[in-house]
Amino acid sequence: MSSNTTTVTTTTTKPPPTPHPPQTLLSTLLSLTSSSIIPLTTTGVNSGSKLFGAAILTRSTLTPLTIATNNERASPLLHGEINCIQQFFTSSSLPPSTRPATKDCIFFATHEPCSLCLSGITWAGFNEFYYLFTYQDSRDLFNIPYDIDILEQVFRVPGKWDNEESLRERPLYNKNNKFFTSKSLADLIGELDSEEEKERWRGRWRG
């Protein structure tokens, strides 16, 4: 008697340091947001989708490979990040022979990825991602509280000794783990050397 088995291997190697200083990452990601992602999300919002967008870039040159936004008209699962990943793997402009490995790319999301998109990024093998707005920004600035609600209600399981206060203080997810590292653009600004430079980039970020 025999059986066929399939073994799924997930790469868990930490990414090498991105070969770019914070200023280069900030400039590239903010410019990409204003020039390419915002026009897409504007069209999406006008058709009934939310404003989340995402992009996949080469790690070495920061060249955009795919850019996408929500497509909730087709499916409630097609968040900007999931739509972007789907296009990365299925687009005719990125055949397997020329498509870089996900470990050689970085992922960018306009908003901190929800639980669905965190899983999608992880399963696809992207081991480094950045985002512009935090969960709290999504809730307070955009009136979209669902990311926090789902993480708190579904995934934040209280430990035996937890009380309400200690549970609230527990992070919603592990931002640096064996699968990926993640940073907000505010984190990148915090890595700059001078307060003058930090304030200049904060002004551009707010703009």
Side-chain angles (χ1 to χ4, degrees), residues 80-101:
E81 296 94 325
I82 300 300
N83 206 16
C84 194
I85 293 169
Q86 184 74 357
Q87 290 183 26
F88 178 80
F89 284 104
T90 61
S91 172
S92 59
S93 64
L94 284 173
S97 59
T98 63
R99 186 176 63 231

Side-chain angles (χ1 to χ4, degrees), residues 16-30:
T18 304
H20 306 285
Q23 295 92 331
T24 301
L25 285 169
L26 287 163
S27 178
T28 298
L29 298 178
L30 287 172

